[in-house]
Amino acid sequence: MTTPYQQQPPLPQAPGGPLGTYTSPIAVRRATFADALASEWTKIRSVRSTMWTLGVLVVLLLGLGLLAGFVVRSSDAHMGDQSVLVLGFYGVLLGMICVITLGVLTIASEYGTGMIRTTLTACPSRARILAAKSVVFFLLSFVIVTAMTALVAAIQTAMVPSAATPSGGEWLRATVGVGLYVAMLGLLSLAVGALIRHSAGSITIMIGLVLLPLVLALFMFTESLRDVRDFLMEYSIPSQLSALYGASVSNSGPSGWDPLWIITGITAVALGGAFLSLNSRDV
């Protein structure tokens, strides 16, 4: 004979709820933008690509900056009216490729691995995700580039005391201005990565955007292409970066803080397109 079936006692009733319900002791609240920032910061600092790209960036900024200062000091070269801060241009020019790469990988790598599905499931607001990625990446790249350019500029000033003493405005443009410009260029790369959704393709497009206008201008020898050549020379990204150091290629091109306003406008348009693309296309 088998034991008769005995009904289990009912689950305890939750306060204020129907019989058999369960109330979690963990407080439930709506996700905020701060939660998205914390999530993106955790992701960007926990992947090896961030450490490699930022590590190479620091090496290029510091190594090439000090090398340029050492060469000028050893050769006793006369820099004329230019300040010693312009020597930091070479390290920043190559280092911006690392920022471009990291900007693309910040979002495009998630499409390659499929992580973007998890991200959008956890936070369905696509505008919040794009904004959080943009803020975290921009602040990280800005702080590192600004700190390193300021360090290199201080060392170069001590290495080449015979050069013209830079003014406060020149110091501000060569450190904070350059940091903002490079971080904004990386933010443009992030927007391109969101539009293209492919890491290699987005990096190729951005490197072409940086180098191709200047290369094309160098091969425009005919007089009929003079206006086009001058435009490409003056508004190419290397030329705009040099303008922040007070070394403009011509008197008619961008000068002072103009390059920063130009790249900010372009980046704003690209981020707007990235938001529309992210909001209208499926993952």
Side-chain angles (χ1 to χ4, degrees):
M1 299 292 294
T2 59
T3 304
Y5 172 75
Q6 297 180 354
Q7 185 177 4
Q8 297 294 326
L11 293 174
Q13 182 177 356
L19 184 66
T21 60
Y22 172 76
T23 302
S24 173
I26 303 176
V28 178
R29 61 177 178 82
R30 294 180 62 88
T32 63
F33 184 65
D35 297 321
L37 289 176
S39 173
E40 295 304 326
W41 169 244
T42 300
K43 284 191 285 188
I44 199 171
R45 69 182 175 86
S46 60
V47 295
R48 285 179 291 181
S49 59
T50 302
M51 298 298 105
W52 276 104
T53 52
L54 294 182
V56 174
L57 171 64
V58 170
V59 170
L60 288 174
L61 292 178
L62 187 60
L64 292 180
L66 297 184
L67 179 62
F70 178 77
V71 170
V72 172
R73 180 176 180 176
S74 302
S75 60
D76 294 328
H78 183 63
M79 299 187 62
D81 296 334
Q82 289 185 341
S83 68
V84 70
L85 300 179
V86 74
L87 298 177
F89 167 78
Y90 306 102
V92 176
L93 182 61
L94 291 179
M96 70 168 57
I97 298 178
C98 300
V99 179
I100 288 172
T101 302
L102 182 59
V104 169
L105 293 177
T106 299
I107 189 167
S109 62
E110 292 199 25
Y111 283 98
T113 60
M115 181 68 183
I116 191 66
R117 297 185 181 91
T118 305
T119 299
L120 295 179
T121 300
C123 181
S125 175
R126 304 190 177 197
R128 183 185 299 172
I129 289 296
L130 184 61
K133 286 181 179 293
S134 301
V135 170
V136 169
F137 169 77
F138 180 84
L139 292 178
L140 177 63
S141 55
F142 168 71
V143 169
I144 292 180
V145 173
T146 302
M148 291 307 303
T149 51
L151 176 61
V152 169
I155 297 176
Q156 289 173 340
T157 303
M159 291 179 65
V160 190
S162 59
T165 303
S167 63
E170 291 174 334
W171 270 97
L172 189 63
R173 287 197 306 270
T175 54
V176 177
V178 169
L180 288 172
Y181 187 89
V182 174
M184 198 63 67
L185 184 63
L187 202 57
L188 175 61
S189 305
L190 188 149
V192 172
L195 289 169
I196 305 301
R197 301 186 175 192
H198 190 273
S199 299
S202 301
I203 294 172
T204 302
I205 290 173
M206 285 304 303
I207 293 178
L209 180 64
V210 171
L211 300 179
L212 189 58
L214 189 58
V215 173
L216 289 176
L218 295 176
F219 287 93
M220 293 181 179
F221 303 109
T222 61
E223 189 64 22
S224 61
L225 295 175
R226 179 179 179 179
D227 293 339
V228 178
R229 180 180 69 242
D230 291 343
F231 178 83
L232 293 178
M233 288 287 292
E234 294 168 358
Y235 288 91
S236 65
I237 289 178
S239 298
Q240 292 189 54
L241 181 63
S242 66
L244 289 172
Y245 286 99
S248 302
V249 296
S250 67
N251 295 327
S252 60
S255 61
W257 292 92
D258 293 342
L260 182 58
W261 312 138
I262 293 172
I263 194 66
T264 300
I266 296 174
T267 302
V269 173
L271 281 175
F275 166 73
L276 293 176
S277 172
L278 189 64
N279 209 37
S280 61
R281 292 192 297 184
D282 199 1
V283 297

